[in-house]
Structure formats: C-alpha cells, structure tokens
Amino acid sequence: MSEIKKPSAAELDRMSEDELLELGTKLDGVEIAHREPRWPEEIKTRAEKRAERGVTFWFALAALLALAFIVIYIAWPWHYKGWQDDGYWYYSLYTPLLGVTLGGAILAVGIGAVQFTKKFIPAEVSVQTRHDGPSEDVDRKTIVAELNNSWKTSTLGRRKAMIGALGAGGALIGIAAIMPLGGMIKNPWKRHEMSLHGDGTLHTTGWTLASSERPDGLPAEKVYLGRDTARTFPDGHVPEGVGRLERLRIEDLAAGGLESVFPLPASALGDFHSHMESIHGARNSVMLIRLRPEDTARVIKRRGQEEFNYGDFFAFSKICTHVACPTSLYEQQTHRILCPCHQSQFNLLEYAKPVFGPAARALPQLPIAVDSEGYLVANGDFIEPVGPAFWERKS
C-alpha cells in the first residue's frame, strides 16, 4: 500500500464525514475487501421488521427479567423457614428465583446483542496493517468519523423500540446488579425482639438469653449447652416433644475432647423448631473443650474471666475474630484452636489468645457452670462481642 499524504488541519476541517471515513481507513492501513449493508436505507421490508422485533424481544425480555429480580429481591419472603413452617415452599424458591431472573436477564441481553450484530451490522471483510506508536490528530478525527459511520450503518438510530428495550434492559440489569449491596447495609444497633438469634445487634447472640442484664429488661433464662444430635425427620413430621439438641453432663465429654454446643433454653426443651433456630443462629456456635487436669493447671486465665471455666471445662466462641470463619479444629497435643480459612491459631492454654495468622483478638469465652441436675449451663453471656473486630470492641 502506497504512503497516504496527510492533509493539513485546515483541510481536515473542510472534509465531509464520508471523506474522513475514507481517509481514516486508508491511514489505518485498512483495505475493505467486502462491505454490504444488511438492509436497504429507505425501504423497510417485512424481513427487516421481523429481525427488529426479534432483537427487541430479547432486549425487552432482559428488562422484564431484571425488573422481576428487583421485585423478588424486595418483596419475596426470604426469612428462614423450617420444612414444617408456614411459607416454607415460598422461602425455598427465593434464591433459585433470584438466580433465574438475573441470569436470564444477562443471557437475554447477550442473545439480543449477538442477534443485532448478525442481522443489522453491515457484513464486512477488511484487512488491516498494524502499526505501533501514539495516535496523531488526523487519526483521532478520522476514528470519530468511522465510529459515526458505524452508528449510522448499524441502523440502530432509527429503531426506537429496540433502543428503548436495550436502554431499559441495561438500566434494570444495572439496578439489579447493585441491589444486593443494599441488603448489606443495615443499622447494627437496631433492636428487635430477643430470640435465639439475639436482638439483631452486634453485642447479642442466643446466649444473651442467660444474661442478668438482658437488653430487653427481662430476667435471665436458664440456658443449657446443647449438643446437636443431627436428628432429622425425612417425612417432615416431628414427633411431639422430640428435639434436635440435647443437654450435656460432665461425663458426656472425655478429657481432651471437644463438642460443638448451641444455646438450649430450658423453655425450649423438646422443641425441634426452636432447636433448629438456635443451630442456625449465625453467632451461636461454641466450642466446649475438656482439658486434662494437668493441662488445666497450666492455663493462664484472662483478667476478669478467672471464673468462666468450670473445672477442666472451657467454652469459647467458634466464630473467628478475623472474618468469622468457624474455628472448629482443635489440636489436642499443642492445645491450639485452628481456623481453616486463613490459618489463624489460638492458644487454648492462654485464654484462646491468637498466636499465629491474621486474627488479632482472642476468642470470646462463655462463662459456664453445672446445675443441680448435673447439666452444663451458661453462667451468663459473653462479656464482649462475638466475631470479627469492629470499632466499638475493646479487646
């Protein structure tokens, strides 16, 4: 290809868009071997109308699916329901519907874009010689002309319904994509009724029911350390008085052993659904560890928590103080509690103090005792927030 003479700035200003387009292709080293518009410029055929309706359908479908995602995200029942609770069927559809609607919207936009490219962008075969270096002024002006020409020859500018559907679909998909971020924004101190999940604030869990200073002002309840039996009822019918959690006695845990326990209020004994609510409490899980007597003698207790253990029994939150992973691994020989997510390690013999990894704070310790029947119970609530550190935590 022979070298193209570059026009001056004044000559560029006098050139039409078509002339700039032709010049731009030559300057870019592009040789157009074949170029054919999909449809005639002035006459609108039935085939063209069918193609336009097809592309518009996909963009409109994307908009409807994105709108459905937004409506479902806001209005569909999403609070946890057990399999025998009223509304369980609707609750179980929440996540699948979100996936189908948002995924379908993105898929519909993709199909619409492919169909638009195949049916409306002019068929063109071109060859370009590549070159290095920054773009000159002439290149910048000619590329604008080329982009303008691409817009015109795509015929999208005169297809109002298609533009409307594409705009609505793009806007609604954008809104749908950022909607879940709104669900992460909440007032961490907004209280609701105290339950086995706490009262919704960062300082409370199901164990707060055992506190003598409950935020709701009610008296402390007797809360047992409940072991999960993993009992299920595939037919969905739970016998009367049969629970999922069971109370623990001292003799139920061997020296050196570990048991995951959950808050089991005395008022909820034999209540399967309450037990499931306790197990699903995000910050309820606690590690109950029984040390050997010789190891108990080596324990360094935290100031103000000297009476939190009961003999050889120690109870610590399973929620890692780094990013809330479950610290359910326990090395009996080294007395270290391990978090499998980011390898934080806590020394059980020194009030579960972090000794390795990103966690910077000790695991909160739950005060425990034994009642007159020999069952392990919570002797109050945690005295610090459970889980990752935040600005109001002092430890």
Side-chain angles (χ1 to χ4, degrees), residues 26-45:
K26 291 179 179 179
L27 289 175
D28 286 340
V30 175
E31 180 180 351
I32 300 177
H34 174 76
R35 182 181 177 87
E36 179 183 356
R38 299 289 186 181
W39 310 105
E41 183 69 26
E42 302 296 335
I43 304 173
K44 202 166 188 178
T45 64

Side-chain angles (χ1 to χ4, degrees), residues 4-65:
I4 306 299
K5 179 182 178 181
K6 296 181 180 180
S8 64
E11 290 174 329
L12 283 173
D13 292 336
R14 291 194 297 269
M15 294 177 74
S16 66
E17 187 174 288
D18 290 338
E19 292 172 330
L20 287 170
L21 174 64
E22 182 180 358
L23 175 63
T25 56
K26 291 179 179 179
L27 289 175
D28 286 340
V30 175
E31 180 180 351
I32 300 177
H34 174 76
R35 182 181 177 87
E36 179 183 356
R38 299 289 186 181
W39 310 105
E41 183 69 26
E42 302 296 335
I43 304 173
K44 202 166 188 178
T45 64
R46 290 184 177 179
E48 181 181 358
K49 291 179 180 179
R50 285 196 301 270
E52 182 175 350
R53 286 195 297 268
V55 175
T56 303
F57 164 79
W58 287 110
F59 289 153
L61 179 61
L64 289 174
L65 288 171

Side-chain angles (χ1 to χ4, degrees), residues 35 37 41 120-122 148-156:
R35 182 181 177 87
E41 183 69 26
F120 292 97
I121 298 296
N148 288 336
N149 179 263
S150 298
W151 169 259
K152 290 179 180 178
T153 55
S154 72
T155 69
L156 184 60

Side-chain angles (χ1 to χ4, degrees), residues 205-381:
T205 66
W207 301 102
T208 307
L209 295 171
S211 173
S212 59
E213 299 179 356
R214 286 174 48 164
D216 56 6
L218 295 177
E221 297 183 39
K222 186 174 187 178
V223 179
Y224 295 98
L225 275 59
R227 166 195 280 166
D228 184 8
T229 63
R231 186 180 292 118
T232 60
F233 300 94
D235 60 358
H237 298 290
V238 181
E240 185 70 25
V242 177
R244 169 85 176 228
L245 299 175
E246 65 179 15
R247 296 176 290 179
L248 278 170
R249 296 179 183 272
I250 292 176
E251 58 269 21
D252 293 332
L253 189 61
L258 178 149
E259 184 76 47
S260 294
V261 295
F262 303 87
L264 174 56
S267 59
L269 293 176
D271 186 344
F272 188 88
H273 296 293
S274 293
H275 296 183
M276 293 303 297
E277 183 182 355
S278 177
I279 293 170
H280 285 98
R283 292 171 292 159
N284 282 350
S285 56
V286 162
M287 292 176 292
L288 176 66
I289 300 174
R290 183 177 185 178
L291 294 177
R292 295 183 177 88
E294 59 271 22
D295 294 325
T296 303
R298 300 163 51 199
V299 169
I300 300 173
K301 298 182 181 180
R302 196 171 184 176
R303 182 180 299 177
Q305 301 183 14
E306 293 85 353
E307 305 299 327
F308 276 26
N309 63 299
Y310 181 83
D312 300 329
F313 291 83
F314 294 77
F316 292 94
S317 170
K318 286 181 68 173
I319 311 303
C320 183
T321 53
H322 176 220
V323 289
C325 291
T327 58
S328 54
L329 303 177
Y330 173 53
E331 288 186 345
Q332 188 182 108
Q333 302 303 318
T334 62
H335 307 293
R336 289 193 177 187
I337 299 167
L338 310 178
C339 178
C341 292
H342 305 101
Q343 289 72 57
S344 292
Q345 298 183 21
F346 305 86
N347 184 6
L348 179 61
L349 298 185
E350 192 172 358
Y351 57 84
K353 176 183 177 181
V355 292
F356 182 81
R361 289 173 169 81
L363 296 174
Q365 186 173 357
L366 179 71
I368 58 175
V370 172
D371 69 1
S372 58
E373 298 178 280
Y375 292 110
L376 287 158
V377 297
N379 194 25
D381 190 15

Side-chain angles (χ1 to χ4, degrees), residues 163-185:
I163 292 176
L166 176 59
L172 288 169
I173 288 177
I175 294 173
I178 64 174
M179 281 285 290
L181 297 177
M184 302 178 186
I185 301 172

